[in-house]
Amino acid sequence: MSKTSKKAAATSRKERIEAMRRAEQARERRNRILTITLTTVIVAGLVGWGAYAVNSANEKEEQKTAAAKKPVSGEKTWDKKKLTQNHVQGTVDYPMNPPVGGDHNQAWMTCDGTVYTKPINKENAVHSLEHGAVWITYNDKAAEADIKSLSDKVSKTPYTLMSPATDQPGPIMLSAWGRQLSVDKASDPRVEQFLTKYVQGAQTPEPGAACTNGLTAA
């Protein structure tokens, strides 16, 4: 091969290498642009989702606050000052059923989202109400589906307890200290309102008192 041919071949190889280098640099630029674009989209999406989540949480908190301020339609109330809080032994003759306050046993029923399948002592349950719990009770008129729905709700809600109460007048009754509501169905919107308003609500004589480490059986 002549010197001219060798020079031409070398020049051709150099041009091919340069072309390959330029093509590689172009690919890298495209990849960088694509990466930046995708990152920007993802970040924007996360920021948007975060803002939505914060707004949603704020709206739910506002709804809860609003629900806590509204009176619960159909609830019965008792004067908090007239509900005594003495620790006593034995049974107590309560003027309402289930009881919503008054003298009670020194041991409370565990009420950390606790579902009891048998009736529990009223004197121990009242102590739980004193600690700010809501006690849901039901008799044989309550539908099985409603009992299941309420059991699921209670098990996820601290400062609540649930048990059968065969001698109560209503199918489903919710009791807090000095407050009581009777409903026919678990789907009644007042159930959620009652829980929102009275679980550790303003009516609680001893807010923050334990609902754990109490009695666990009737």
Side-chain angles (χ1 to χ4, degrees):
M1 181 180 293
S2 66
K3 290 183 178 180
T4 302
S5 297
K6 289 181 179 179
K7 185 176 181 180
T11 300
S12 178
R13 283 196 302 273
K14 185 177 181 180
E15 289 175 349
R16 288 198 301 271
I17 292 171
E18 288 295 330
M20 292 173 62
R21 184 178 292 116
R22 287 194 297 270
E24 181 63 26
Q25 290 173 344
R27 277 197 299 272
E28 290 178 354
R29 284 196 298 271
R30 287 196 299 272
N31 288 338
R32 284 197 299 271
I33 292 170
L34 180 60
T35 300
I36 292 170
T37 301
L38 288 175
T39 301
T40 301
V41 171
I42 292 171
V43 170
L46 289 174
V47 170
W49 181 87
Y52 169 79
V54 170
N55 289 336
S56 180
N58 288 339
E59 287 178 3
K60 288 181 179 179
E61 190 61 32
E62 289 174 0
Q63 290 172 356
K64 285 186 177 182
T65 301
K69 291 180 179 179
K70 293 181 180 179
V72 180
S73 177
E75 73 174 359
K76 294 181 179 180
T77 63
W78 286 262
D79 187 350
K80 183 178 178 179
K81 295 180 181 179
K82 294 182 179 179
L83 295 174
T84 55
Q85 296 175 240
N86 301 309
H87 288 176
V88 297
Q89 297 295 321
T91 59
V92 177
D93 183 17
Y94 293 105
M96 74 293 288
N97 185 36
V100 299
D103 294 346
H104 50 268
N105 193 280
Q106 64 179 356
W108 61 89
M109 294 302 300
T110 297
C111 43
D112 191 31
T114 313
V115 177
Y116 298 95
T117 57
K118 295 181 180 180
I120 59 178
N121 290 331
K122 297 174 182 178
E123 293 77 13
N124 302 108
V126 169
H127 196 158
S128 300
L129 302 187
E130 186 183 42
H131 289 191
V134 168
W135 180 23
I136 299 180
T137 51
Y138 59 92
N139 62 20
D140 56 6
K141 295 179 183 178
E144 287 297 326
D146 288 328
I147 296 172
K148 175 64 167 58
S149 176
L150 290 169
S151 296
D152 291 343
K153 185 182 293 292
V154 166
S155 66
K156 299 173 184 176
T157 309
Y159 282 93
T160 63
L161 68 163
M162 179 174 172
S163 68
T166 56
D167 59 343
Q168 70 179 25
I172 300 168
M173 299 183 73
L174 293 84
S175 302
W177 189 270
R179 303 287 188 271
Q180 192 167 80
L181 176 69
S182 181
V183 298
D184 295 327
K185 297 287 184 181
S187 58
D188 191 312
R190 293 175 297 168
V191 171
E192 187 64 34
Q193 184 187 5
F194 194 94
L195 289 169
T196 298
K197 189 177 181 69
Y198 295 125
V199 169
Q200 282 286 285
Q203 86 292 341
T204 304
E206 298 180 1
C211 242
T212 56
N213 300 321
L215 298 181
T216 56

